């Protein structure tokens, strides 16, 4: 089963140890989505902890946006960046 972390706007991102723990227990891929108030942006395909953290770091003004992070634990389908 996958893990979803919802981060409301004006709330700090989870600390690195929490994101690392989420990855360590659900490391079949990572993606995230955030809203800038006009558009929902989607980024996916991270297959390493480092690339997952880089995606999180790439979100502009991350504290100020609603964000959803998805840590995949494959129960069906292949493990690849598209999933």
């Amino acid at each position: 089963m996958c893990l979803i972390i919802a981060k409301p706007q004006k709330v700090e991102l989870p600390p690195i140890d929490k994101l690392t723990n989420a990855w360590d227990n659900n490391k079949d891929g990572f993606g995230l989505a955030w809203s800038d108030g006009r558009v929902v942006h989607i980024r996916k395909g991270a297959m390493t902890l480092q690339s997952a953290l880089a995606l999180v770091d790439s979100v502009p003004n991350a504290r100020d946006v609603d964000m959803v992070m998805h840590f995949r634990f494959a129960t069906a389908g292949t493990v690849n960046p598209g999933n």
Side-chain angles (χ1 to χ4, degrees):
M1 181 171 294
C2 299
L3 173 68
I4 303 292
I5 296 175
K7 190 217 64 78
Q9 65 181 2
K10 307 296 182 198
V11 173
E12 296 294 331
L13 288 165
I16 190 85
D17 65 316
K18 301 295 184 195
L19 295 176
T20 300
N21 185 51
W23 174 264
D24 287 344
N25 290 285
N26 302 276
K27 58 175 78 180
D28 292 329
F30 173 83
L32 57 78
W34 77 93
S35 171
D36 64 12
R38 298 171 317 202
V39 176
V40 174
H41 303 269
I42 299 170
R43 302 286 186 271
K44 62 181 183 174
M47 301 302 290
T48 66
L49 173 60
Q50 292 74 23
S51 60
L53 295 176
L55 278 183
V56 174
D57 286 342
S58 74
V59 176
N61 304 312
R63 183 184 184 285
D64 298 329
V65 300
D66 293 317
M67 185 186 308
V68 177
M69 293 170 259
H70 174 246
F71 296 82
R72 183 170 186 242
F73 182 87
T75 54
T78 60
V79 175
N80 64 52
N83 282 339

